[in-house]
Amino acid sequence: ATNMERKNVWTASDAAKKEMIFKFCEDYKKYISDCKTERECAAEAIKIAKKAGYKDLKTIIAKNGKLKAGDKVYACHMGKTLALFNIGKQPLENGMKILGAHIDSPRIDVKQNPLYEDSDMALLDTHYYGGIKKYQWVAMPLAIHGVVALKNGKTVDVVIGEDKNDPVVGVTDLLIHLAGEQMEKKGAKVVEGENLDILIGSIPEKAETKAEKDAKESVKTGMLRILKEKYGIEEEDFFSAELEVVPAGPARDYGIDRSMIMGYGHDDRVCAYTSLIAMLDVKDVDKTSVCLLVDKEEIGSVGATGMHSKFFENMVAEVLNCLGDYSEIKLRRALINSKMLSSDVSAAFDPLYPSAFEKKNAAFLGKGMVFNKFTGSRGKSGSNDCNAEFLGEIRNMLDKQKVCYQSAELGKVDVGGGGTIAYILAQYGMEVVDSGIPVLSMHAPWEIVSKADVYETMLGYKAFLIG
């Protein structure tokens, strides 16, 4: 069948499967509603994995440092990136089956010296993270999630704006009556990055002492008092804080038929969650299976918790060592002999913007798991461009398990482009291809996916691990 003839998952599903699709997506909706930062995603994934019998690799190393086939372990780095291993029957040097997704999403970050007062309003200065259309983030309810690390070594968790009794915060916009000049600007300049500051309060603190009466920033003083009372935070503690501003509220059913989900961070937590559940559902494996959930993809996979770091390679070395089988050459063989699905989302065809897509090679909502043989931009620049033989092997696996799937490019040639973590793992010489779920309104504060695609992709990941 050509891409245009691919089955619609809903049409191909009986009543029992449709029920499973809806049930699975209820759990997924809870996951992305509760987990809006990479730290929250990693912590919840560990909780789910522990229930499935996974143990902390650090604990294993500290006790006796031994692993065997059938053991299930996880390793977490800095609370933001996670690797799970289900040890297979074959020697690790024969390679692994890897599912890799990222758990960071575009957002607005609070700066290190953020709090200021202007015109009896208290605001937080910010710097956006990842690729966003800045104008989409104004005049909507936002929440603050993150941590504040104190000098005494304690870390304070902060979540403001998610409980139904919580206040929300946000970025104000200019009223249409005065926006003539603003409306003439190009989309990239309608709202400037330095104007994405978060309004958090407007009540001046009542002055009790002479010093307080002399102080000019009484609203800011009031904000600091509230933060001190609720979280024990002083102004200087912003220096060692990671506070992320995200859309407030839970993921919701989308469409009158409830066939879709509107949520923050489908890119790429929808692939992270389906990869995780597929990994946990496949109990005994021939080749060691791995689920990688990494940070920083949206800004180039950099830093100690991004895919460019040596964390994963180091953990493979630790596992080999615990299996009593470590050597540098076996580590290299384990990596080059591995096969990976880079689990990341793709752009879904949008009938409102057909000119951005080449329809024969576009992903469609409801048509199942999507594969991108290559990503990149212009002449496939920055792409992994996987081997034809690997795609043939994957087709065989999916067809055996009757999984609905499709292939796609990320829009028309020369219209744009994008990248994933695929090329980074491919540097080891392993087979890698991008695969995931089509998304509408990608990188917007609220994105849209089909429930059918979410469930079908989880089945696809399982088919890959079963192999």
Side-chain angles (χ1 to χ4, degrees), residues 286-418:
D286 187 37
K287 282 192 173 183
T288 293
S289 59
V290 179
C291 180
L292 264 177
L293 306 180
V294 298
D295 184 23
K296 301 286 194 292
E297 191 274 345
E298 296 293 358
I299 57 168
S301 296
V302 293
T305 54
M307 196 64 245
H308 275 299
S309 85
K310 300 294 186 199
F311 166 69
F312 174 57
E313 186 180 324
N314 292 345
M315 291 309 100
V316 175
E318 291 282 9
V319 169
L320 270 168
N321 194 49
C322 290
L323 289 165
D325 204 24
Y326 176 79
S327 70
E328 180 65 19
I329 191 61
K330 285 185 176 179
L331 172 60
R332 297 298 143 204
R333 285 173 185 162
L335 292 166
I336 198 170
N337 290 330
S338 291
K339 294 178 179 178
M340 178 192 181
L341 296 186
S342 170
S343 309
D344 210 334
V345 295
S346 190
F349 179 82
D350 190 331
L352 297 182
Y353 305 97
S355 63
F357 300 88
E358 194 267 286
K359 213 168 180 182
K360 295 193 309 303
N361 288 288
F364 291 84
L365 237 58
K367 297 286 181 78
M369 185 179 192
V370 57
F371 287 86
N372 290 74
K373 185 180 187 293
F374 54 86
T375 53
S377 56
R378 300 178 303 281
K380 299 187 181 181
S381 177
S383 170
N384 166 49
D385 206 353
C386 89
N387 262 354
E389 290 85 348
F390 186 39
L391 279 175
E393 193 180 316
I394 285 168
R395 285 172 59 204
N396 186 42
M397 291 174 189
L398 298 177
D399 287 345
K400 265 191 209 170
Q401 301 296 327
K402 296 184 169 56
V403 175
C404 295
Y405 61 95
Q406 53 186 321
S407 68
E409 293 180 355
L410 194 63
K412 276 184 179 174
V413 177
D414 286 340
V415 164

Side-chain angles (χ1 to χ4, degrees), residues 102 104-107 128-137 140 247 263-268 297-299 344-347 410 417-419 439-448:
H102 67 92
D104 62 313
S105 292
R107 60 179 189 257
Y128 65 94
Y129 173 100
I132 64 170
K133 291 180 175 177
K134 294 182 279 292
Y135 64 79
Q136 292 179 329
W137 289 75
M140 68 179 301
Y264 165 67
H266 285 317
D267 178 10
D268 184 37
E297 191 274 345
E298 296 293 358
I299 57 168
D344 210 334
V345 295
S346 190
L410 194 63
V439 177
L440 285 170
S441 303
M442 195 194 295
H443 279 226
W446 298 103
E447 301 169 316
I448 300 157

